């Protein structure tokens, strides 16, 4: 049965302090509601158990993209359209722009938020691989104060996160790449647009003296949650671009994935295609 709106209680606080006050009084009772593009789908299908919502839309503290010398900080309510339109994001984090461009269509990009994409925690979501590849940190806020969590430690399993019931994602902080860097993003879906990823891979590398000095690889749709490809990274870091061990890295990548069969792709397809995308990324990197 579809959801029934009169059953719902929606509070619209106009400051973060008021929102945190509500969370402090009734922890776990209020479900944050950002753009609603994930929540409304579940609601409409009658599968949303929550009936009490904390609408975040008036919390100016969670909006905007702030730049300083070393980082960009995205308010959790930052939309895909805002990401696409921000010059500093294009300059420092091109993978994130590419992720935003392939997320839904314009209506979703105007309304869906970065914080919502993270906390909805779909293994197939489009921004998490890029956030992993850029070493993102999350700033979480609750009635107890602020804490920071490395994004690659945030997802604990399928839809399980290091996020307490009374915590909100406040900001997503990305350190600016330094030195000579390489960026790569690839989403494989049924179509170019409006498709859920069968697999996705984002990478960011720092190159020094013709060697791979640092490398971050984020994967989507190949595990219960978005994951770093730490085994593949370890096989590659320190190697000369002229002789990247592509076969060894493809092999190591198998240890980073635990894909499943579902309606979009088989586990076998996901493994092989992710290995192929890695190979493609490394050939691009060798020519960079
Ligand atoms: C037609 C359609 C196409 C889509 N296409 C794509 C796609 O191509 N790629 C993709 O990745 N996604 C896609 N999505 C999913 C969705 O649009 C994104 O995940 C979006 O970023 C969700 O953001 P939101 O603000 O709408 O989240 P909401 O629906 O408001 O919330 C999602 C979850 O996050 C929680 N939440 C939100 N903000 C916070 C916060 N600040 N702190 C704590 N918890 C919070 C909510 O309680 C809820 O559990 C699509 C959805 C639709 C309907």
């Amino acid at each position: 049965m579809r959801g029934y709106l009169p059953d719902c209680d929606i509070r619209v606080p106009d400051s973060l302090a008021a929102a945190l006050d509500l969370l402090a009084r009734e922890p776990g009772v209020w479900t944050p509601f950002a753009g609603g593009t994930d929540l409304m789908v579940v609601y409409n299908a009658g599968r949303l158990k929550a009936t009490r919502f904390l609408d975040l839309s008036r919390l100016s503290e969670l909006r905007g993209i702030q730049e300083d010398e070393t980082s960009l900080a995205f308010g959790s309510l930052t939309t895909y359209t805002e990401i696409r339109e921000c010059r500093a994001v294009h300059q420092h984090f091109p993978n994130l722009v590419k992720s935003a461009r392939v997320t839904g269509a314009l209506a979703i990009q105007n309304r869906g938020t970065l914080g919502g994409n993270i906390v909805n925690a779909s293994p197939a979501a489009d921004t998490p691989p890029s956030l992993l590849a850029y070493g993102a940190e999350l700033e979480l806020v609750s009635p107890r104060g602020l804490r920071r969590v490395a994004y690659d430690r945030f997802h604990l399993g399928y839809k399980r996160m290091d996020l307490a019931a009374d915590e909100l994602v406040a900001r997503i902080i990305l350190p600016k790449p330094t030195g000579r860097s390489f960026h790569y993003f690839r989403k494989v879906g049924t179509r170019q647009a409006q498709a859920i990823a069968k697999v996705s891979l984002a990478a960011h590398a720092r190159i020094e003296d013709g060697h791979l000095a640092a490398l971050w690889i984020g994967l989507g749709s190949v595990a219960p949650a978005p994951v770093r490809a730490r085994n593949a990274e370890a096989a590659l870091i320190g190697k000369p671009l002229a002789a990247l061990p592509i076969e060894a890295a493809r092999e190591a990548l198998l240890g980073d994935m635990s894909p499943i069969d579902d309606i979009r792709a088989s586990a076998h397809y996901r493994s092989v295609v992710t290995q192929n995308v890695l190979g493609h990324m490394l050939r691009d990197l060798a020519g960079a």
Side-chain angles (χ1 to χ4, degrees):
M1 203 174 83
R2 290 170 62 135
Y4 183 58
L5 264 184
D7 282 346
C8 295
D9 186 354
I10 303 175
R11 299 290 167 86
V12 195
D14 51 18
S15 72
L16 183 57
L20 293 179
D21 188 49
L22 190 63
L23 291 174
R25 278 188 276 127
E26 296 177 287
V29 166
W30 298 93
T31 298
F33 187 106
T37 61
D38 277 312
L39 284 173
M40 290 308 289
V41 172
V42 195
Y43 168 80
N44 212 30
R47 288 189 282 112
L48 188 60
K49 293 201 178 68
T51 56
R52 305 176 84 183
F53 298 97
L54 180 64
D55 183 333
L56 307 179
S57 60
R58 289 199 194 149
L59 305 186
S60 56
E61 298 91 333
L62 306 185
R63 290 200 179 280
I65 303 173
Q66 285 155 4
E67 179 174 13
D68 67 21
E69 284 279 292
T70 58
S71 65
L72 287 195
F74 299 77
S76 63
L77 293 177
T78 301
T79 64
Y80 300 100
T81 299
E82 287 166 333
I83 290 170
R84 291 184 60 168
E85 291 178 349
C86 178
R87 258 209 353 222
V89 187
H90 281 257
Q91 184 185 346
H92 299 287
F93 306 107
N95 290 343
L96 193 59
V97 177
K98 289 180 182 165
S99 305
R101 277 195 188 125
V102 295
T103 299
L106 285 184
I108 293 295
Q109 292 174 14
N110 285 340
R111 197 163 169 91
T113 65
L114 197 51
N117 204 219
I118 291 169
V119 180
N120 186 56
S122 163
D126 284 318
T127 63
S130 292
L131 298 176
L132 290 167
Y134 287 131
E137 282 199 331
L138 303 185
E139 193 176 86
L140 308 178
V141 64
S142 76
R144 299 176 302 288
L146 277 179
R147 70 181 176 110
R148 276 206 188 190
V149 176
Y151 182 53
D152 62 6
R153 297 185 185 283
F154 180 70
H155 293 288
L156 305 174
Y158 180 68
K159 302 245 176 195
R160 287 196 303 114
M161 286 154 273
D162 180 5
L163 182 72
D166 62 352
E167 275 182 320
L168 297 173
V169 176
R171 300 195 304 164
I172 299 98
I173 297 148
L174 301 189
K176 288 181 183 171
T178 53
R180 189 176 153 214
S181 57
F182 166 86
H183 308 255
Y184 180 96
F185 174 80
R186 178 82 190 272
K187 169 181 180 176
V188 178
T190 305
R191 299 169 293 278
Q192 291 283 357
Q194 290 277 47
I196 298 177
K198 295 179 183 191
V199 305
S200 58
L201 184 151
H204 157 227
R206 192 171 63 246
I207 299 164
E208 282 171 13
D209 300 327
H211 284 66
L212 203 45
L215 175 67
W216 296 260
I217 301 172
L219 303 176
S221 278
V222 293
V227 282
R228 277 273 294 276
R230 290 184 187 279
N231 293 303
E233 292 170 7
L236 290 158
I237 291 169
K239 301 293 190 294
L241 292 197
L244 289 174
I246 295 182
E247 271 318 307
R250 283 175 57 109
E251 196 57 34
L253 187 68
L254 292 175
D256 295 313
M257 302 187 276
S258 49
I260 56 165
D261 296 325
D262 69 11
I263 49 164
R264 283 187 290 282
S266 67
H268 177 69
Y269 174 95
R270 289 189 154 106
S271 292
V272 173
V273 173
T274 308
Q275 286 182 306
N276 291 347
V277 173
L278 178 74
H280 184 265
M281 182 277 276
L282 292 174
R283 282 187 288 279
D284 272 12
L285 177 57

